[in-house]
Amino acid sequence: MLSSRRVSIGVEPLPPIPDADVFVNGDMIREGADFAILPILYTYESEISDKVLECGHFVPENLTIKSSESSYCLLGKTSPWVDNIPSSEALVAKEMEYAGYTGLKSVVAPEIGKDIASYGRQLYKMLANESGPDVLVRIRSGSENAWHNWNRVRMMCNHSVRLQVLLELDSDAHMTTGMQQWIAEPVRVVVLPADMFVPNASCYPVLLRAQQALVKKWMDHDVAFAVQQSQNSEFTHGDLIRYLRHMVESLPERDSACLATEEYRDVLQSPLQPLMDHLESVTYETFEQDEPKYAHYEEAMKRAITEVAARKSAIVLMVVGAGRGPLVSRALHAARRAGQSVRVFALEKNPSALVELHRKNATLWLGAVTIVHADMRQWQPAERADILVSELLGSFGDNELSPECLDGAIEHLAASDCICIPRRYTAYVAPLSSALLFCRAREYSGKHHLETPYVVNIHKANVLADALPVWTFSHESPVAPTRLPWSANAHNDRSSSIEFSASCASMVHGLAGYFDAELYPGIELSICPATHTVDMHSWFPMYFPIQRPLMAEAAETKINVHMWRRSAGARTWYEWCVDVGGDSSGIHNINGHEFWIGQ
């Protein structure tokens, strides 16, 4: 099946280009390009620059981009910069003003020069007009200190969301740790030089296998591509564009799980608060579409039923927090597979979801389920559960207060030898680099948004080390908690300090949070990258931002993470701190002053 993806492919022709409109309506359309990267000025000769600055405006013969007619499909290149020369700065200012006038959405700045401070200052001046074009910094991927130089000017410009990257690949570029570093950066356009392509047996242009893998990787990250003309190339722009289009069409079709989650890539979402808020039907429906999750739950319930049946004949299974009943259906099916008669209870506190449970009991389950409208922490039944099943897990394992909920459920509902599903779950973290996620968190008004965790389908990011465990909650031996006089929930508080080694030089923009869970011995669910359950999409990772990005200077730089889970009264919250070298993010969300989970 052909891919349905849309990838924008443009051209960067050799100068001079006398008239942008003529080029767009002629060569660009004929070659099948979507956009072109063209110089704003036709020539950069010093006497022309002096005349422009003397009279205060451009004249048509000075310009390649002469009107706004084609601005929708153009990126304008500014003139070369001469560091600390006032006339050069003044000319760039004129070009930015003219770019805004013609409606150009983006301009391309030249490569970073030796005087990085002056270059950064010039960039910041270009970004001063908040309604002006975005600025793309041209970076050659193989140039010395490419990422470090970019990072310096990015920090000088205060991590502006309008400062992005035009990444020009070397002809022999391939996927390395250094290239993975750029995935976490705001790369807008990837430029492919003509000499990256080689002729095949039929003399058509192709990429070697390593370069194919690299380009396909970038195609999955929503960047545009531009093919760069070369005087020595045996291929036309049209040849190269047709080959890239063929690559796009040959990409494997995304599976249903990928399509279901793709629209949420790098979108910040507030974590659910199911104890404080009743979930909407559409939220339940989204979760219910996760076949792998429920298949694992069903197998865990079948094995638990078989285990209990070996010691007693009357089996009671309770689904707590039943929602619209997907686990109830799976419990009944698990009992049939195990060949056992099981009494099934469904507990739900959401009165609206209860309507759906009663409807299913009448039409689907044929009255086989006892439905109870109650809070699992308070209901006291006449008989206790042999098997207690819940799906209270959040993206960080315990962030939807599964431990607090199951404390009450175990105390009031569970038999002394009850089997809890899940039986344990562990939270994990890893240091994360993502300029996009940081900028999006910072865009929200108010400082507190950088002290709030988010649920995110993390995509344009570089996880800088393997995720490591933070803490675990276990319900393998269902015993009611011992509540301390000064805090009824102190037994669920946790803390942890973990050391990581960075995979490469990078900015640390926060932490990625994951979890895994053991439903029953031998049956596990995981959203950790290394062990992710195949095709499962119910949970996205957590993102814990930090207020100020920290610099990991080189590979193997030590990154120390400190996390706390704390509670007071009806509130539970997380606190976190990241240390890199001698620098520290400071402790975030102390005493839950910005974010907390309510009971």
Side-chain angles (χ1 to χ4, degrees):
M1 183 180 294
L2 294 180
S3 172
S4 59
R5 304 185 201 196
R6 178 77 176 94
V7 176
S8 184
I9 302 173
V11 294
E12 185 176 19
L14 289 172
I17 304 294
D19 191 306
D21 294 337
V22 173
F23 178 82
V24 167
N25 294 313
D27 289 357
M28 195 188 94
I29 292 177
R30 186 166 52 251
E31 292 169 344
D34 298 314
F35 68 94
I37 304 172
L38 300 179
I40 296 172
L41 297 183
Y42 175 64
T43 179
Y44 300 122
E45 294 178 7
S46 58
E47 61 268 23
I48 300 296
S49 302
D50 292 341
K51 289 180 181 178
V52 168
L53 296 176
E54 184 178 341
C55 68
H57 61 83
F58 297 118
V59 293
E61 55 266 29
N62 301 149
L63 297 161
T64 293
I65 302 174
K66 302 179 188 296
S67 73
S68 60
E69 178 183 332
S70 303
S71 62
Y72 69 96
C73 63
L74 295 177
L75 278 70
K77 294 190 287 188
T78 67
S79 56
W81 299 353
V82 180
D83 295 333
N84 291 318
I85 301 298
S87 60
S88 177
E89 292 185 18
L91 182 62
V92 172
K94 283 290 182 188
E95 288 179 291
M96 286 297 291
E97 182 182 355
Y98 182 73
Y101 165 75
T102 58
L104 289 176
K105 301 302 182 186
S106 303
V107 299
V108 179
E111 290 185 69
I112 300 171
K114 292 183 178 179
D115 188 346
I116 296 177
S118 295
Y119 183 97
R121 177 180 173 275
Q122 180 66 66
L123 278 182
Y124 211 15
K125 285 179 61 179
M126 294 170 71
L127 295 164
N129 181 359
E130 294 183 0
S131 61
D134 293 342
V135 179
L136 278 61
V137 177
R138 183 181 289 271
I139 305 285
R140 295 183 190 272
S141 64
S143 61
E144 186 178 3
N145 295 322
W147 182 84
H148 283 87
N149 292 344
W150 150 253
N151 190 52
R152 281 188 62 188
V153 299
R154 181 249 306 273
M155 289 193 292
M156 291 176 69
C157 295
N158 196 28
H159 301 268
S160 171
V161 71
R162 290 176 44 232
L163 185 64
Q164 299 162 358
V165 173
L166 181 143
L167 186 65
E168 185 177 323
L169 301 183
D170 290 344
S171 58
D172 61 349
H174 56 283
M175 201 65 216
T176 61
T177 300
M179 188 59 68
Q180 182 66 34
Q181 189 177 47
W182 289 106
I183 296 292
E185 300 298 345
V187 175
R188 176 94 161 272
V189 179
V190 172
V191 175
L192 307 178
D195 58 3
M196 178 181 271
F197 298 83
V198 297
N200 64 8
S202 301
C203 294
Y204 288 111
V206 295
L207 293 171
L208 297 177
R209 193 177 301 276
Q211 283 73 53
Q212 283 186 40
L214 174 59
V215 170
K216 287 179 180 178
K217 177 75 171 178
W218 279 111
M219 283 179 174
D220 192 44
H221 281 78
D222 303 320
V223 301
F225 290 86
V227 293
Q228 191 178 58
Q229 195 173 29
S230 167
Q231 289 180 334
N232 301 321
S233 175
E234 57 192 290
F235 307 117
T236 67
H237 275 148
D239 294 333
L240 305 181
I241 290 170
R242 281 188 290 275
Y243 173 70
L244 291 175
R245 298 256 187 246
H246 172 72
M247 280 189 67
V248 174
E249 292 169 358
S250 302
L251 293 172
E253 190 69 20
R254 292 180 170 101
D255 58 31
S256 57
C258 183
L259 290 172
T261 60
E262 190 173 86
E263 65 180 299
Y264 297 104
R265 282 181 172 178
D266 299 315
V267 175
L268 304 183
Q269 301 178 79
S270 297
L272 294 175
Q273 297 254 17
L275 276 185
M276 287 204 307
D277 307 321
H278 292 313
L279 301 184
E280 297 176 348
S281 181
V282 67
T283 305
Y284 288 121
E285 184 178 2
T286 299
F287 295 148
E288 290 166 12
Q289 294 171 358
D290 196 335
E291 170 64 25
K293 175 180 75 172
Y294 290 110
H296 280 68
Y297 262 99
E298 181 179 316
E299 182 61 25
M301 287 188 281
K302 174 183 173 291
R303 295 189 192 183
I305 290 168
T306 301
E307 178 184 334
V308 175
R311 64 176 185 263
K312 63 185 298 187
S313 56
I315 302 172
V316 175
L317 183 151
M318 294 185 184
V319 178
V320 293
R324 303 197 317 174
L327 282 180
V328 178
S329 294
R330 293 288 185 159
L332 294 171
H333 193 237
R336 288 194 294 271
R337 288 176 58 206
Q340 301 295 329
S341 176
V342 177
R343 291 194 59 199
V344 177
F345 289 77
L347 275 73
E348 178 54 51
K349 68 179 181 65
N350 184 342
S352 298
L354 213 67
V355 174
E356 183 70 9
L357 290 174
H358 282 295
R359 188 189 68 79
K360 286 182 176 177
N361 201 27
T363 61
L364 182 62
W365 305 326
L366 304 179
V369 178
T370 301
I371 296 173
V372 180
H373 182 204
D375 188 320
M376 71 183 77
R377 298 167 294 176
Q378 299 167 357
W379 187 54
Q380 300 190 29
E383 53 188 332
R384 292 194 166 234
D386 302 299
I387 303 170
L388 195 65
V389 186
S390 65
E391 53 174 330
L392 306 168
L393 299 172
S395 296
F396 203 48
D398 57 87
N399 63 287
E400 293 183 13
L401 302 189
S402 179
E404 286 75 9
C405 292
L406 290 179
D407 279 350
I410 288 169
E411 185 174 357
H412 298 300
L413 309 180
S416 59
D417 55 356
C418 178
I419 297 172
C420 288
I421 300 175
R423 67 201 302 259
R424 63 122 194 109
Y425 34 94
T426 300
Y428 291 76
V429 294
L432 180 78
S433 179
S434 176
L436 177 61
L437 292 184
F438 171 75
C439 286
R440 286 186 171 174
R442 193 177 64 167
E443 279 176 3
Y444 289 104
S445 59
K447 175 181 174 182
H448 72 276
H449 287 283
L450 288 167
E451 295 192 75
T452 297
Y454 296 95
V455 174
V456 187
N457 182 10
I458 296 172
H459 188 61
K460 286 189 175 182
N462 188 16
V463 179
L464 300 174
D466 291 338
L468 295 176
V470 185
W471 49 63
T472 296
F473 288 90
S474 175
H475 309 290
E476 296 175 38
S477 301
V479 177
T482 301
R483 302 187 187 276
L484 301 174
W486 61 87
S487 174
N489 199 42
H491 60 285
N492 286 324
D493 288 352
R494 297 286 191 276
S495 64
S496 182
S497 292
I498 312 161
E499 184 176 85
F500 299 89
S501 294
S503 59
C504 59
S506 189
M507 294 301 293
V508 181
H509 294 105
L511 305 170
Y514 312 94
F515 82 94
D516 68 18
E518 185 181 45
L519 302 180
Y520 186 86
I523 302 177
E524 297 190 353
L525 297 176
S526 174
I527 68 166
C528 295
T531 58
H532 200 291
T533 302
V534 177
D535 291 338
M536 187 176 70
H537 57 83
S538 276
W539 296 278
F540 297 146
M542 294 280 277
Y543 169 50
F544 294 88
I546 54 178
Q547 292 183 350
R548 181 174 58 85
L550 302 176
M551 177 67 176
E553 292 284 353
E556 303 302 321
T557 297
K558 299 304 179 185
I559 303 172
N560 291 282
V561 173
H562 314 282
M563 294 200 75
W564 298 264
R565 187 186 199 266
R566 290 291 183 260
S567 56
R571 304 195 314 166
T572 298
W573 64 90
Y574 300 113
E575 301 168 2
W576 60 97
C577 176
V578 180
D579 298 334
V580 181
D583 205 357
S584 177
S585 69
I587 298 175
H588 289 62
N589 196 40
I590 192 74
N591 289 330
H593 71 287
E594 298 298 352
F595 170 82
W596 48 272
I597 313 154
Q599 299 187 38

